[in-house]
Amino acid sequence: MAPLLLLKNLCFTIFFTYFHLALSGTVRRAGSTCTVNASTNGSDDAPAILEAFQMCGDNGVIQLHDPLYHIETVMNTTRLSNVRIDLTGTMLWGTNLTYWVSSGLPLGYLNATTAWALGGDQITFDGHGVGTLDGNGQLWYNLADGVSNYPGRPINLLIANSTNSLYTGIRFIQSQYWTMAIQNSEDVLLDGIYVNSTSNNTVPARNTDGVDTFFSNRITFRNWTVVNGDDCISLKANSTNILIQDSVFHGGLGVSVGSIGQYDGVFEMIQNVTAERVLALGSRYGGYIKTWTGVPQGFPPNGGGGGLGFATNITFRDFTLQNVTDNVALITQCTSFEGATGDCDTSLFRLSNITWGPGISGSIQSDTLATMQCSGDAPCSGISLLGFDNVVTVGAREIDCSNVINSTGFNCT
């Protein structure tokens, strides 16, 4: 009987192992192409995806064509080379918020973390207009309950240490925090990207930026559609030669340069930025620039200040505005610790050669075309407002200024 019992146990073990493998995500390899088959029981597909990148992440193709992939653990797929990623299904991030808060991959900046770090040289990530990253964000919005920069909310996708790469046709919905961050990257084009991170109840979807850039050069955003409650596209520390074109923003804050100057005594800069042919529908601003004050209060991400550096050669042109709620143009150097006020003339971060226009048209739901609150300790220079005649306001057409020198195209009112 003992040998028979052993045989039965062995058969059960083989069956159980086979059954488990059949339910779990798997990878099918054909030459340099790896196709990921999703689990059939809703279990974590991240291990299979990581395996596919390990096998085909160098001169290969990763295919994610099943309708739904469950992502329950963090993914680090960096140091890739000449790889194509085809996504036609949905990647759905898991609901174990405790895990994500404790396990996110750190950026090393603003205490931020990410759920997926992706990077390398010559990456093509094609979503074909249907491939979707779903962050299950409503759970995070409910958890934060309106608190800005709630700790541990992960960025959905971090593009890190990437060069000569294309991201196209990808959809992002209900991102957990910022939708994307681009860090230490150069020569990257993001074309045809759709972002919709909005709350389905009364809790606001805070910090749902469409994308933020850091320490990156020659980044192009083209044909974006963003529906969110924060910066649509935001350029932060050491972002240079940035181009934003042919994009539509629904709600949100528009194109943001900053915030910057948050780290006390640290030198940072933003330069050579152009945003053009943008349609802003109900956004708060067309384009705006924000720095922290010169007086440090608290610590990042919610506190800070005292940073040094400059932002220069920035242009917002050919903007069409429909019911923008506040201003076409805004400069503020008064960002401070949450709940604190004052010290608005203390920033030493210098802003220069910034232009709104020509080609600005449409309507705003206020009587103030522009607000430019520059620091008394480092006045803004070379500010231009060109061709605002085709912008309809509610009531007056104010341009509020402080500490602006060498301006063109306007008089402060």
Side-chain angles (χ1 to χ4, degrees):
M1 295 295 293
L4 182 60
L5 181 60
L6 282 173
L7 182 60
K8 287 181 178 179
N9 288 339
L10 180 60
C11 290
F12 176 79
T13 300
I14 293 172
F15 173 77
F16 179 81
T17 302
Y18 175 80
F19 181 72
H20 177 74
L21 290 173
L23 292 177
S24 301
T26 58
V27 180
R28 177 167 44 86
R29 182 174 184 177
S32 60
T33 298
C34 289
T35 301
V36 181
N37 299 118
S39 62
T40 58
N41 62 349
S43 59
D44 189 11
D45 291 310
I49 294 172
L50 292 173
E51 182 184 357
F53 275 98
Q54 185 175 15
M55 290 192 295
C56 296
D58 190 352
N59 295 310
V61 177
I62 313 293
Q63 294 185 335
L64 298 159
H65 293 328
D66 282 355
L68 182 63
Y69 296 91
H70 291 269
I71 311 300
E72 306 293 336
T73 47
V74 297
M75 296 192 298
N76 189 343
T77 54
T78 50
R79 299 182 179 179
L80 307 174
S81 178
N82 188 28
V83 62
R84 179 180 179 88
I85 306 162
D86 273 332
L87 173 67
T88 57
T90 294
M91 303 173 74
L92 177 65
W93 267 256
T95 62
N96 185 348
L97 306 193
T98 301
Y99 166 80
W100 293 110
V101 167
S102 63
S103 303
L105 304 172
L107 270 68
Y109 194 85
L110 295 177
N111 297 335
T113 64
T114 187
W116 185 10
L118 175 64
D121 183 55
Q122 298 183 70
I123 297 170
T124 297
F125 190 161
D126 194 344
H128 303 277
V130 294
T132 301
L133 279 69
D134 184 339
N136 241 323
Q138 191 64 50
L139 299 175
W140 293 97
Y141 313 153
N142 294 344
L143 177 67
D145 196 20
V147 174
S148 184
N149 294 308
Y150 187 92
R153 290 169 60 185
I155 299 165
N156 202 341
L157 176 65
L158 169 66
I159 299 171
N161 302 300
S162 286
T163 51
N164 307 307
S165 295
L166 169 66
Y167 294 77
T168 183
I170 309 169
R171 302 175 74 253
F172 295 85
I173 61 174
Q174 298 300 93
S175 298
Q176 306 93 315
Y177 184 59
W178 301 341
T179 298
M180 275 187 284
I182 302 174
Q183 185 179 43
N184 299 321
S185 295
E186 187 169 80
D187 295 314
V188 177
L189 169 62
L190 301 103
D191 188 13
I193 305 297
Y194 175 83
V195 175
N196 189 331
S197 293
T198 51
S199 178
N200 59 25
N201 59 31
T202 58
V203 175
R206 296 201 187 283
N207 308 117
T208 50
D209 297 9
V211 63
D212 292 70
T213 62
F214 308 84
F215 307 99
S216 293
N217 181 43
R218 294 196 298 271
I219 309 296
T220 298
F221 305 97
R222 187 174 294 148
N223 298 312
W224 277 54
T225 299
V226 180
V227 188
N228 71 343
D230 214 304
D231 297 332
C232 298
I233 292 178
S234 180
L235 315 174
K236 289 184 167 60
N238 295 9
S239 297
T240 57
N241 300 301
I242 308 295
L243 180 60
I244 302 165
Q245 294 180 314
D246 303 308
S247 295
V248 180
F249 303 139
H250 299 259
L253 304 184
V255 177
S256 168
V257 176
S259 60
I260 195 167
Q262 191 167 356
Y263 283 92
D264 185 22
V266 175
F267 188 94
E268 299 171 332
M269 54 85 175
I270 300 172
Q271 65 178 345
N272 302 335
V273 175
T274 298
E276 60 186 3
R277 300 190 298 274
V278 169
L279 172 60
L281 304 170
S283 303
R284 185 176 296 179
Y285 313 107
Y288 80 112
I289 299 168
K290 55 181 177 178
T291 82
W292 286 70
T293 70
V295 179
Q297 298 184 48
F299 300 96
N302 286 336
L308 306 173
F310 64 88
T312 191
N313 296 336
I314 297 165
T315 301
F316 308 93
R317 65 189 177 209
D318 296 324
F319 272 54
T320 301
L321 316 172
Q322 292 186 16
N323 298 320
V324 164
T325 60
D326 287 16
N327 308 140
V328 179
L330 172 76
I331 294 174
T332 175
Q333 298 199 260
C334 204
T335 300
S336 187
F337 186 69
E338 189 174 12
T341 58
D343 298 318
C344 294
D345 281 331
T346 61
S347 175
L348 297 178
F349 199 92
R350 295 190 174 275
L351 306 178
S352 65
N353 300 325
I354 302 166
T355 301
W356 282 264
I360 309 291
S361 64
S363 61
I364 64 173
Q365 298 301 301
S366 81
D367 62 0
T368 304
L369 285 165
T371 299
M372 285 170 283
Q373 180 277 306
C374 298
S375 171
D377 287 347
C380 302
S381 64
I383 309 300
S384 300
L385 304 181
L386 306 177
F388 278 30
D389 293 344
N390 293 322
V391 178
V392 177
T393 64
V394 176
R397 300 174 64 81
E398 301 290 330
I399 297 178
D400 295 336
C401 310
S402 59
N403 306 307
V404 176
I405 60 175
N406 300 325
S407 61
T408 301
F410 66 97
N411 295 312
C412 298
T413 56

